[in-house]
Amino acid sequence: LRRRINTQDIAVQKARDSQVRAEGVMKTAKLETQLTLKKAENALQNAVLDLEKAKKSTVETYIQDQEGQIENYKKDIELSEKNVRAYNALRELGFVSEVEVLREKAKAAKTAHTMKIALAELAAYKKYDQVKLLSEKQLAVDEAKVNVEKTRVANESDMNDAVSTVTTAKKTLELEI
């Protein structure tokens, strides 16, 4: 009889230990799920901010910078053309050589070429790079939204498992008592 009582006491103690362990696992799971969800929500917030930054700063700033450079090239070309006329007049009077006139013409041609390339790059940026950048940022936002929802579903499942384990441990303890 004493052996059966001791065996039963041991079984009850194991059942209590199992219940306490299950409750601890459930508390830990709850904390972990909360943290995981916060991380997922933070990633979503950061992705949204990245998208907004790309729309309102990165893209606009790049376009404004390129347009400003193009305007400067136009002014440089205008100045070079005036210099060419002035050097031509000075050459006709004998004050400068033909080389100086050619040097100014080359300078104007280089600047015109640089402006032409900048215009083409700006057009390509607006048509392709800007769209690609914003598309990638939007995809990151969409992915972060999915991750938040997946985390919620996984968290709910983990908590249900933990609650089930605690319930099973309690019922096992009740049966042992």
Side-chain angles (χ1 to χ4, degrees), residues 6-21:
N6 286 342
T7 303
Q8 190 174 5
D9 284 345
I10 291 170
V12 168
Q13 190 57 43
K14 284 182 180 180
R16 280 190 182 123
D17 291 347
S18 181
Q19 180 185 347
V20 169
R21 193 173 315 112

Side-chain angles (χ1 to χ4, degrees), residues 11-133:
V12 168
Q13 190 57 43
K14 284 182 180 180
R16 280 190 182 123
D17 291 347
S18 181
Q19 180 185 347
V20 169
R21 193 173 315 112
E23 287 172 350
V25 167
M26 185 174 76
K27 288 177 184 177
T28 302
K30 184 176 181 181
L31 293 172
E32 286 178 0
T33 57
Q34 289 171 344
L35 179 61
T36 304
L37 181 59
K38 281 185 180 184
K39 285 180 179 181
E41 289 171 340
N42 183 265
L44 172 59
Q45 178 184 4
N46 290 343
V48 169
L49 291 174
D50 267 357
L51 176 60
E52 289 301 311
K53 178 183 174 191
K55 285 180 180 177
K56 295 182 179 176
S57 177
T58 305
V59 170
E60 287 181 15
T61 301
Y62 182 82
I63 291 172
Q64 288 172 358
D65 180 51
Q66 289 298 306
E67 289 173 344
Q69 286 183 27
I70 290 166
E71 286 302 313
N72 288 338
Y73 293 143
K74 287 178 183 177
K75 290 175 186 172
D76 289 347
I77 291 170
E78 186 180 317
L79 179 61
S80 290
E81 289 170 350
K82 287 180 181 180
N83 282 342
V84 167
R85 286 193 295 275
Y87 276 114
N88 271 331
L90 290 172
R91 183 183 49 83
E92 288 174 11
L93 296 173
F95 290 114
V96 295
S97 69
E98 178 70 22
V99 173
E100 291 300 320
V101 174
L102 292 175
R103 193 173 287 144
E104 279 302 313
K105 284 183 180 180
K107 186 176 171 184
K110 285 178 187 176
T111 304
H113 175 73
T114 303
M115 184 178 78
K116 181 179 175 183
I117 297 299
L119 283 167
E121 287 179 354
L122 179 58
Y125 180 82
K126 286 179 176 179
K127 188 172 182 180
Y128 304 110
D129 295 340
Q130 172 184 358
V131 173
K132 178 184 171 205
L133 174 66

